[in-house]
Amino acid sequence: MRELTYWQAISEATMQCMADDPSVLVLGEGVDDHKGTFGTTKAAYERYGAARVVDVPNSENACAGIAIGAAANGLRPLVVHTRADFMFLALDVMVNLAAKWRYMYGDQGGVPVVTRGVVGRGWGQGATHSQSPHATFAHYAGLYVATPASPADAKGLLVTALRGDTPVVLIENRNLYPLTGPVPEEPEPVPFGVGRIARAGDDVTVVAASLMVHEAERAAEQLAARGISVEVVDVRSIRPLDERIICESVARTGRLVVADTSWARYGLAAEVAAVVAENVPETLRAPVRRVALPDSPAPVSWPLEEAFHPGADAVVEACLALVGDDRGSLPRLSSVAAEFHGPY
Amino acid sequence: MRELTYWQAISEATMQCMADDPSVLVLGEGVDDHKGTFGTTKAAYERYGAARVVDVPNSENACAGIAIGAAANGLRPLVVHTRADFMFLALDVMVNLAAKWRYMYGDQGGVPVVTRGVVGRGWGQGATHSQSPHATFAHYAGLYVATPASPADAKGLLVTALRGDTPVVLIENRNLYPLTGPVPEEPEPVPFGVGRIARAGDDVTVVAASLMVHEAERAAEQLAARGISVEVVDVRSIRPLDERIICESVARTGRLVVADTSWARYGLAAEVAAVVAENVPETLRAPVRRVALPDSPAPVSWPLEEAFHPGADAVVEACLALVGDDRGSLPRLSSVAAEFHGPY
Amino acid sequence: MTTTPVGVAPAPDTVDPAGPDAALIRDMVRIRCVEEELCDRYRDDQEMRTPTHFSIGQEATAVGVCAATGPDDLVFTGHRSHAPYLAKGGDLRAMVAELYGREAGCARGRGGSIHLIDRAAGFAGSAAILGEMIPVGVGAGWSAALRGRSSVALTFFGDGATEEGVFHESINFAQVHRVPVVFVCENNLYSISSPLRQRQPAGSTITDRVAAYGLWARSVDGNDVYAVRAAARAAVARCREGAGPAFLELHTYRWREHVGPGWDHDHGYRAKEEIDDWIARCPIRRATDAIRDAEPRVDDWVRQWEQRYREEARAAVRFARAAAWPSVANLLDGAYETVGR
Amino acid sequence: MTTTPVGVAPAPDTVDPAGPDAALIRDMVRIRCVEEELCDRYRDDQEMRTPTHFSIGQEATAVGVCAATGPDDLVFTGHRSHAPYLAKGGDLRAMVAELYGREAGCARGRGGSIHLIDRAAGFAGSAAILGEMIPVGVGAGWSAALRGRSSVALTFFGDGATEEGVFHESINFAQVHRVPVVFVCENNLYSISSPLRQRQPAGSTITDRVAAYGLWARSVDGNDVYAVRAAARAAVARCREGAGPAFLELHTYRWREHVGPGWDHDHGYRAKEEIDDWIARCPIRRATDAIRDAEPRVDDWVRQWEQRYREEARAAVRFARAAAWPSVANLLDGAYETVGR
Ligand SMILES: Cc1ncc(C[n+]2csc(CCOP(=O)(O)OP(=O)(O)O)c2C)c(N)n1
Ligand SMILES: Cc1ncc(C[n+]2csc(CCOP(=O)(O)OP(=O)(O)O)c2C)c(N)n1
Ligand SMILES: [Mg+2]
Ligand SMILES: [Mg+2]
């Protein structure tokens, strides 16, 4: 299969869905500019112009509400935030209205608004430009929330979102954008709620989302050299969450590490641990480990930032602790995102 | 000790803190009216007037930001929302600014804003007036989040909040307001991060917060009659979370039910299960059970609403399942909140 | 028996003999009768378990505005929803059943008073978080324009909702994109018990603030149903012509308490005299007075309408109370789309 | 060597011989020199890992406004923070160390360019979420008033931030409560690469929209530092008298790209001619021209200042690069208050 970068995959999904369905339109601050949301909306703007790729005022709350109204009246808006952190300003309408619309009006139709938020981890983006709010949206029933890790899923989940009738939040990590992978040419949907074994293994299960899937894969590679076999589960969507793939894997390996780009408490790492504690606790041969952000806001200073965002090394350490090994002489890994260069 | 209702305890804490510290002021929509936020701000308004108990415009976002600015410049605002759901409109400044202030400006002082949100469960309040967003705030490092269950804690946690230097979110359930309990006369602080054994027991641990502590206690009473001994742990604050009290109890009982007023996924029920899976999984003699909201928005219609909000019965059932008993002939319990009468 | 409000094209056989001006009175009387009946039942029976915001005294705003709309136009509102719902032609029995939490409710009992909807009638939804339906109205109108339809969206909200930032964001967006949306502000001087002067600066008005964005904005006596209709017609016509959004500030007054059926002159936030003053300016009485010279039979009509609609309201209550509750087995219905439904 | 900007009471021995008008030029030159030096280093060295928004070309707004403030007045800003920070008297070396992520930074390396603070100087904080510091400024001013202080809060933001609802909510609150706060809008015609006309309606201005709340609001040539200072003095004086909030719209222009040190005439969203046009209206040049007749030595002074401040900037960079990194052991410091600190 031909390879695309993650951002190209998003762009392609957008273009194909716009071609297939004239009701799809893109809304966001600067979606029409020369950078085109890190490339993801550029081709769509060039092809469809300002009528369907709409630069909006800096009004996140109203724009989310406008998207809901447009969706209630026949359109399929794709709302784009260059930083997922800005979505907090739109949280009210997304959680109090979009998520509840179908239910509270008696199941007479939904509001298919798709919202993409880009997580800006790294390069000193700091406390308010690095957050990954997927758990916040996924706590509230009524939304689908996905965290694609691969170019193929970035495309396939967006296609599913733009064809469905449920409001969807897609959280994309900026550091995934340059990564390449095989992507089907056709707009093949990837379903929500179906996880993926990113790598098979027997000794430890690492459940991860988004960027952390790659960190987990790199950790697995290194551990393989040491004779430790790691299974990496990519949840792909966090609501619905594929409980089965998680539990089946843990039931086999008996050990669980959860790796997330957000904080541990009340986050994906908590939920996955809870799913295991609810369903297959007796299979656990060691305590669950959470690899997540330390309990502070994101710092800017380089060494602090490097220490703040967990990478493959943190996954390696957690796995080693679970199998009762110690770190010994493993070389340290740099983060997947280390190649990014400024100026910002 | 003399008894007060939950709302009287809140009112008393507010009055005493305002008397002790002239920098405390109360902000909120309608805090000055005849209902006085279900009684909690009435005495303060009568005593201190409009200069310190300030009715504000319907501008939740700005008012939260104004409170932050006032806190950065010497005041201690207590912001009140008659429905916790309205706090979503203020989430941006609370999470992106208040929570991060001390950290991102290099630990030179914090913004001690205290925010009270009242959860309006029941009586057909519906999808947007019944939510308990504690997990959403507690996911983000930098805030303290508490869910007082008793009048004494409603007072003591508010006192701690109004004397500390950290932004605090207090989530109060409207159905607790009429409940009475012993409350110290003095403004004695109750620390964050220290749970409480609400009832001791040996067979099952029920970890609960807010209203669910009472449902758990009633469940425990009923189960006691059947020879099942239930320990009820009231977490009191959910960030910081008292991991020790949870783990020690579960290590003794070997069985865990978590009871919360919000949804299971990415919520308090997930976090408590994760804490156990991380620390004492080997002590679990049965899978963890979560008693939480079903995965839909809150319905209005009476029978649906009754089915939607879990009460003591749901806790009873979960405990019985864990000890391998079945429900048999136990009489059904009505909810703690059943006494509330309309019109709204 | 169903009466077709003027907002929707009436089937010939249901038209009253009274003409379009009297029809506005008829529709206001109908809403008044329904709401008074509901107030009594709400207070006495405790069977409607849903926070309920009545529009008694404010009927001219809903009726006057909806009279200017066509069947393809969409109306959204905030929490004070009954009057616009009925004025737009929303099904009465479905509304009452909704308040009673029944499966036959317009939102199948899931939404309650604050979440009314009747898509067939063009009543596109009400919501209880202040300001939320303002951008939604903009989005709906924008969608119509983008899809080449001539329909217009209208969104009702109170004076208090204009304090929410989203109101301004919505006005700004609508004006930049020339969205066919009519912003309908029912200024009843209070937000729960907070008087307007405590929440918004003296010396300027909501209309002034909207006009500063360049919108066509009019401040209208909201208890004069004919004035409201005239202003709304102009607003809707502008939208239909593609001239951009319009704003109406309709000055009116709520007679009952903010939420619930009671009177509240003893709550301390407003004087009995103020309430009585506004009751003296009852929109139904004023509309009747205004056309009595031309239509001397109007008082008889009003009496007949009162009888007819009281009976219709009672019948709707009977229907609702007899209707089935939702089944608890269907508790999760609609939380997510059901594939293959 | 530290130079005291006019915003803070200068110690006698550091006053330049130039008088208050020339002092404004001096402060603009200083900011220009610092930012140009930082631009070069930022681009070439890749050592400042923090998104950075330069004010080159916009110096008159910060300098003119801060010249009207006293030491007890508090300044807040959005992301475009360096110029107001320096104009208010913020410590230069601490700022540069912050950009270099060092422990000696004004926010101990935790905040970066977008989170500057210097409490001693009255620079009370900058933040990167659009609009956030607008209500914060209101709260700070309100606090001063409630505590009987005469200090004033000032909050800087761009034209783009006025599209956030919180801007309107803040204006409304400030006017209702007569808060001593000056809203300072630096209108540089763009929000990143979106031109103003694409985001806000033609035919009305930001000043119009604010004036509609009854605020004292002035639209000023933001590249004329003397006009800015005069307007800011009037605004601050009103606040200090208890006459309520004030608003300034300062028309200016950013020369470099939105974020980062580069030029961007090839990015397609604005023409080289437009940029050149505004460069010709350089605030430093204009201020110099304006006083040359009265102060013929001003060109010499500017040359001397350029030398002095380039050297000061380089020294600050040397200081920052030599400064210690924060210790990873202290990663969590300040996430929560530490009891007994
Ligand atoms: C965001 C939000 N804040 C507060 C409330 C509580 N609330 C419900 S109705 C209301 C008053 C609104 O006043 P107005 O908009 O003038 O409408 P009216 O009730 O007068 O018709 C308030 C404050 C709410 N529902 N949503
Ligand atoms: C809430 C939010 N939305 C979007 C952004 C992204 N953003 C950063 S700066 C900027 C432009 C702001 O323009 P303006 O307020 O005019 O300030 P300027 O950069 O022109 O000085 C935008 C959109 C943000 N930081 N916060
Ligand atoms: Mg009102
Ligand atoms: Mg700008």
Side-chain angles (χ1 to χ4, degrees), chain C residues 3-8 16 18-32 59-69 87 223-233 283-288 291 298 301-302 305 309:
Chain C
T3 301
T4 308
V6 292
V8 302
D16 278 297
D21 285 354
L24 299 186
I25 301 176
R26 180 197 66 198
D27 290 354
M28 290 194 289
V29 169
R30 180 168 182 259
I31 292 170
R32 174 78 54 89
E59 296 87 353
T61 54
V63 168
V65 168
C66 290
T69 67
N223 279 13
D224 176 347
V225 74
Y226 305 118
V228 171
R229 182 183 55 186
R233 279 181 176 157
I284 296 174
R285 176 163 352 146
R286 284 185 50 195
T288 314
I291 67 165
V298 68
W301 295 341
V302 167
W305 288 329
Y309 295 127

Side-chain angles (χ1 to χ4, degrees), chain C residues 47-115:
Chain C
E47 286 177 3
M48 286 177 261
R49 291 166 61 107
T50 169
T52 302
H53 309 79
F54 293 99
S55 291
I56 293 172
Q58 302 192 183
E59 296 87 353
T61 54
V63 168
V65 168
C66 290
T69 67
D72 291 339
D73 299 327
L74 299 178
V75 167
F76 297 86
T77 79
H79 55 285
R80 208 166 294 286
S81 55
H82 308 168
Y85 172 98
L86 292 172
K88 190 66 175 67
D91 187 89
L92 171 65
R93 298 200 309 177
M95 178 184 105
V96 177
E98 187 61 34
L99 271 64
Y100 276 88
R102 298 314 208 269
E103 185 71 22
C106 60
R108 295 179 58 214
R110 272 66 174 180
S113 163
I114 50 184
H115 297 115

Side-chain angles (χ1 to χ4, degrees), chain B residues 27 54 59 61-62 65-66 69-70 73 75 92 96-97 102-108 142-144 165-166 239, chain D residues 106-108 110-111 115 119 126 132-133 135-136 139-140 142-143 146-147 169 173 177 331 333-337 341:
Chain B
L27 301 184
V54 186
S59 306
N61 189 359
I66 288 166
N73 196 17
L75 294 179
D92 171 63
N96 271 337
L97 199 53
R102 174 185 292 278
Y103 190 83
M104 75 185 175
Y105 296 121
D107 202 9
Q108 302 179 51
L143 299 172
Y144 286 156
D165 201 23
T166 299
R239 183 183 272 267
Chain D
C106 59
R108 294 178 58 214
R110 272 65 173 181
H115 296 115
R119 286 153 59 105
S126 68
E132 261 184 359
M133 283 307 202
V136 171
W142 194 42
S143 168
L146 291 176
R147 293 182 301 125
E169 295 182 356
F173 187 101
H177 289 276
L331 176 63
D333 276 19
Y336 285 93
E337 67 191 294
R341 175 182 290 270

Side-chain angles (χ1 to χ4, degrees), chain C residues 203-213 217 247 249, chain D residues 208-209 212-213:
Chain C
S204 87
T205 67
I206 300 169
T207 301
D208 294 338
R209 289 169 220 139
V210 172
Y213 286 89
F247 172 86
E249 181 177 0
Chain D
D208 293 338
R209 289 168 220 140
Y213 287 89

Side-chain angles (χ1 to χ4, degrees), chain D residues 254-270:
Chain D
R254 145 175 75 73
W255 293 3
R256 304 283 180 115
E257 60 187 338
H258 165 71
V259 56
W263 299 90
D264 67 0
H265 46 261
D266 56 345
H267 288 182
Y269 73 94
R270 56 182 190 172

Side-chain angles (χ1 to χ4, degrees), chain A residues 136 139-140 238 262 266 271, chain B residues 136 139-140 238 262 265-266:
Chain A
T136 295
H139 180 54
Y140 297 92
I238 76 157
S262 189
Y266 312 100
E271 180 58 33
Chain B
T136 294
H139 180 55
Y140 297 91
I238 76 157
S262 189
R265 287 227 194 277
Y266 312 100

